[in-house]
């Protein structure tokens, strides 16, 4: 059995005023009896540090909403209320509950349990209308989650061969391309420009510890992070290859933004890189209406890794903003199916980013056809960053974040990835899939609401519609 990949979470609370679904407050009728300190196993109630005869303010951060203290307070002095800020954060895609979930996952690396079962939507736009099929029949691979069988979450980046060719003596004639393995199907995407140095360094160190990658503009790779270059993907302008030769030499992968001339000039670009090093190349292509055509042309021209970048809600970019814009799952399926039709799917690695907000979005993206995903906002939300979708996208950093030690920030990102990794193992175990690379395009393990709806009710309504005509 190969060595098991394990992420080491550590409880890492962050002493910042964050937004919670509920606030717990102590009224003036509290008699400081201390009963609540005994009944709350999460230690949300403590006596004051300065004067232990009085109770300190309740610690909402650790509260798990069990309501026990409220029921047992002899004076009815405790009150839980919906936080006023809670409903305002996020928007139609980044729902308020996502913020709470990511925050909790970053606290301890565990999958948060609310005790009330799944209360999310069973249908809706994008990934919400897609369910994973966890049939009982494949339950035995659940053993993998607990260590008796191996479930590999690693994926390979790079170009693969469609088939192998041998000469008449059985000697391999095909040239095997270089690839890079990462143990989780997640890389960190470009962080915002105004990130404080401690958070940026922590992101790089978290990527290094997880043995994955972070994409960083070449101009932002300062001396203090250069030593992590094996886990950094420098984003380089195709015109500035010469001035970044040093980075290209030491990096394992380099990335370029897509430009129209690349459709024909990619082989020359790759040749230029090859003269400097064996680094693999990623082309970042915005998820526009014609993204599948661009991806296919690039793949035909030898592109080995293509990163399809949707907007922060997983929608097509440069669209008109109307409801006809495709969402993540449809963009990935279109790209994947185009490559399958053209019989070149295995020759290119597809990374998808944009709107990857929750752990479940990683396997869902892969089932739709991505090889792996790239994330950015969840890593920041894990640190208390707030996002507002309307009237326009605004990111608000919490006060004091720039003073939090790097190791605290780094550990919270590791915790978040630990929780997502556990959920990926759960999903794969329940689906009977032991290798993450086999998730790619495996739509047989997915159920799409639109298809079920059409299969079940389509005939009835079509009949009625035609009868009414
Ligand atoms: S149980 Fe009620 S009265 Fe007693 S300390 Fe707690 S809040 Fe105050
Ligand atoms: S509701 Fe439960 S978890 Fe929250 S403070 Fe009260 S006893 Fe603790």
């Amino acid at each position: 059995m190969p060595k098991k990949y394990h992420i080491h979470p550590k409880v890492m609370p962050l002493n910042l005023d964050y937004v919670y679904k509920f606030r717990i407050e102590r009224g003036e009728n509290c008699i400081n009896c201390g009963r609540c300190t005994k009944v709350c196993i999460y230690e949300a109630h403590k006596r004051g540090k300065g004067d232990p005869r009085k109770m300190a303010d309740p610690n909402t951060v650790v509260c798990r909403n069990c309501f026990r203290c409220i029921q047992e307070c002899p004076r009815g002095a405790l009150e839980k209320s919906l936080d006023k800020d809670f409903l305002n954060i996020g928007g139609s895609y980044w729902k308020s509950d996502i913020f709470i979930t990511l925050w909790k996952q970053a606290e301890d690396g565990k999958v948060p349990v609310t005790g009330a079962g799944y209360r999310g939507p069973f249908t809706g736009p994008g990934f919400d209308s897609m369910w994973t099929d966890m049939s009982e029949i494949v339950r035995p691979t659940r053993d993998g989650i607990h260590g008796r069988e191996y479930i590999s979450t690693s994926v390979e980046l790079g170009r693969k061969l469609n088939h192998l060719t041998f000469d008449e003596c059985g000697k391999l004639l095909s040239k095997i391309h270089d690839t890079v393995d990462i143990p989780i199907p997640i890389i960190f995407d470009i962080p915002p420009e105004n990130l404080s140095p401690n958070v940026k360094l922590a992101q790089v160190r978290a990527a290094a510890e997880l043995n994955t990658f972070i994409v960083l503009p070449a101009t932002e790779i300062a001396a203090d992070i250069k030593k992590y270059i094996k886990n950094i993907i420098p984003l380089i302008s195709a015109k500035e290859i010469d001035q970044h030769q040093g980075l290209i030499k030491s990096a394992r992968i380099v990335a370029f933004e897509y430009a129209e001339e690349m459709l024909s000039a990619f082989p020359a670009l790759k040749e230029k890189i090859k003269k400097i090093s064996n680094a693999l190349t990623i082309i970042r292509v915005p998820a526009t209406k014609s993204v599948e055509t661009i991806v296919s042309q690039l793949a035909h021209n030898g592109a080995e890794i293509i990163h399809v970048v949707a907007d922060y809600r997983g929608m097509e970019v440069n669209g008109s903003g109307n409801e006809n814009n495709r969402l993540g799952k449809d963009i990935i399926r279109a790209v994947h199916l185009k490559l399958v039709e053209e019989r070149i799917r295995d020759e290119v690695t597809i990374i998808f980013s944009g709107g990857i907000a929750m752990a479940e979005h990683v396997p869902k993206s892969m089932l739709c056809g991505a090889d792996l995903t790239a994330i950015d906002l969840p890593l920041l939300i894990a640190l208390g960053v707030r996002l507002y979708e309307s009237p326009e996208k605004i990111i608000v950093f919490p006060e004091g974040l720039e003073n939090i030690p790097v190791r605290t920030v780094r550990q919270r990102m590791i915790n978040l990835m630990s929780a997502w990794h556990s959920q990926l193992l759960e999903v794969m175990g329940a689906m009977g899939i032991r290798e993450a690379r086999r998730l790619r395009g495996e739509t047989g393990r997915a159920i799409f609401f639109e298809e079920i709806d059409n299969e079940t009710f389509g005939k009835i309504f079509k009949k009625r519609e035609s009868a009414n005509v």
Side-chain angles (χ1 to χ4, degrees):
M1 193 164 95
K3 195 170 174 287
K4 228 177 151 194
Y5 176 65
H6 187 69
I7 302 175
H8 300 279
K10 217 184 270 171
V11 175
M12 196 54 69
L14 204 53
N15 199 14
L16 292 174
D17 186 32
Y18 193 53
V19 66
Y20 301 99
K21 191 162 187 170
F22 300 104
R23 289 262 163 206
I24 183 149
E25 279 158 325
R26 198 184 314 282
E28 290 193 349
N29 52 339
C30 165
I31 52 168
N32 299 301
C33 68
R35 174 130 189 86
C36 49
T37 61
K38 296 194 179 89
V39 298
C40 179
I41 58 168
Y42 301 104
E43 300 183 353
H45 301 284
K46 284 188 177 163
R47 291 201 170 270
K49 274 194 184 135
D51 182 357
R53 288 171 303 175
K54 291 193 177 152
M55 297 296 296
D57 285 339
N59 184 4
T60 302
V61 181
V62 296
C63 172
R64 292 291 181 269
N65 303 317
C66 73
F67 285 88
R68 194 166 166 207
C69 59
I70 291 156
Q71 284 171 331
E72 302 224 5
C73 171
R75 292 299 167 112
L78 292 166
E79 195 177 289
K80 272 183 95 65
S81 54
L82 201 60
D83 190 291
K84 292 179 198 76
D85 286 343
F86 173 75
L87 294 172
N88 292 331
I89 55 167
S92 59
Y93 187 88
W94 290 85
K95 302 199 179 72
S96 321
D97 280 316
I98 294 177
F99 290 75
I100 310 289
T101 304
L102 296 175
W103 174 269
K104 284 183 180 164
Q105 288 173 339
E107 294 273 298
D108 56 15
K110 293 181 184 155
V111 182
V113 177
T114 60
Y118 178 72
R119 284 177 293 168
F122 284 96
T123 182
F127 291 123
D128 283 348
S129 65
M130 181 183 173
W131 318 319
T132 46
D133 181 2
M134 302 185 183
S135 318
E136 288 293 322
I137 200 160
V138 293
R139 247 13 195 194
T141 41
R142 287 185 58 79
D143 277 0
I145 302 159
H146 308 292
R148 290 189 291 271
E149 270 183 49
Y150 185 65
I151 295 182
S152 167
T153 53
S154 75
V155 288
E156 229 175 18
L157 286 92
R159 197 173 181 83
K160 274 151 256 154
L161 295 172
N162 238 342
H163 59 273
L164 297 174
T165 44
F166 298 87
D167 67 11
E168 61 275 12
C169 307
K171 197 175 153 228
L172 182 67
L173 295 176
S174 314
K175 187 191 167 307
I176 308 289
H177 301 287
D178 291 334
T179 54
V180 170
D181 266 21
I182 51 171
I184 40 168
I186 302 168
I187 61 168
F188 297 174
D189 209 359
I190 309 170
E193 273 172 26
N194 51 348
L195 212 56
S196 55
N198 62 329
V199 177
K200 198 200 246 177
L201 178 58
Q203 274 202 3
V204 174
R205 287 180 53 185
E209 177 142 348
L210 294 163
N211 205 7
T212 182
F213 286 99
I214 177 166
V215 187
L216 286 180
T219 46
E220 288 179 29
I221 304 175
D224 61 334
I225 52 175
K226 235 181 207 156
K227 61 180 169 196
Y228 300 102
I229 191 68
K230 292 287 173 223
N231 298 93
I232 296 175
I233 300 173
L235 177 66
I236 294 169
S237 152
K239 292 186 185 113
E240 292 170 355
I241 290 177
D242 292 333
Q243 75 193 66
H244 292 297
Q245 286 203 25
L247 277 179
I248 299 171
K249 253 185 204 150
S250 40
R252 291 189 287 165
I253 307 179
V254 289
F256 297 92
E257 292 286 4
Y258 165 75
E260 216 179 313
E261 58 268 24
M262 261 185 202
L263 289 177
S264 55
F266 180 78
L269 176 89
K270 180 70 191 168
E271 222 24 67
K272 204 166 176 188
I273 297 291
K274 243 181 166 175
K275 283 186 187 143
I276 305 169
S277 85
N278 285 330
L280 301 179
T281 49
I282 297 180
I283 308 293
R284 292 171 66 88
V285 183
T288 54
K289 284 242 173 294
S290 51
V291 62
E292 56 269 44
T293 312
I294 296 170
V295 168
S296 128
Q297 288 180 23
L298 284 168
H300 278 295
N301 273 338
E304 45 207 355
I305 309 167
I306 298 174
H307 182 163
V308 175
V309 186
D311 86 351
Y312 75 106
R313 289 170 300 189
M315 291 176 84
E316 270 176 5
V317 292
N318 303 331
S320 50
N322 66 35
E323 59 189 24
N324 295 327
N325 283 348
R326 291 178 297 183
L327 281 164
K329 88 174 177 356
D330 304 309
I331 299 169
I332 309 168
R333 287 187 86 186
V335 168
H336 174 72
L337 291 175
K338 174 94 176 154
L339 297 172
V340 170
E341 265 167 34
E342 297 183 2
R343 300 180 186 187
I344 50 166
R345 181 62 189 92
D346 279 332
E347 291 175 41
V348 64
T349 300
I350 300 293
I351 305 173
F352 178 76
S353 72
I356 305 290
M358 292 191 284
E360 68 184 58
H361 293 170
V362 175
K364 283 183 175 178
S365 299
M366 296 170 79
L367 290 173
C368 288
D371 290 276
L372 67 150
T373 54
I375 60 163
D376 46 12
L377 289 171
L379 295 166
L380 299 181
I381 294 169
L383 308 175
V385 167
R386 298 183 190 195
L387 166 75
Y388 297 89
E389 284 184 32
S390 60
E392 57 179 349
K393 179 188 173 191
I394 302 174
I395 293 177
V396 180
F397 288 88
E399 224 174 280
L401 181 62
E402 64 283 1
N403 300 323
I404 305 284
V406 170
R407 65 186 153 76
T408 307
V409 179
R410 177 189 124 257
Q411 187 60 50
R412 284 184 73 91
M413 292 175 184
I414 291 171
N415 285 353
L416 182 73
M417 289 299 96
S418 172
W420 284 31
H421 181 246
S422 303
Q423 286 173 84
L424 180 60
L425 285 176
E426 282 285 341
V427 170
M428 288 172 64
M431 287 196 292
I433 291 182
R434 294 178 199 178
E435 289 176 61
R437 65 192 176 91
R438 295 201 182 277
L439 281 173
R440 190 193 73 190
E442 186 53 67
T443 43
R445 299 273 191 222
I447 302 162
F448 296 95
F449 171 78
E450 298 87 348
E451 287 170 15
I452 295 285
D453 193 42
N454 195 32
E455 265 170 39
T456 318
F457 300 109
K459 286 176 200 151
I460 306 169
F461 290 113
K462 263 183 209 143
K463 261 186 208 163
R464 278 193 195 162
E465 272 166 26
S466 46
N468 289 341
V469 172

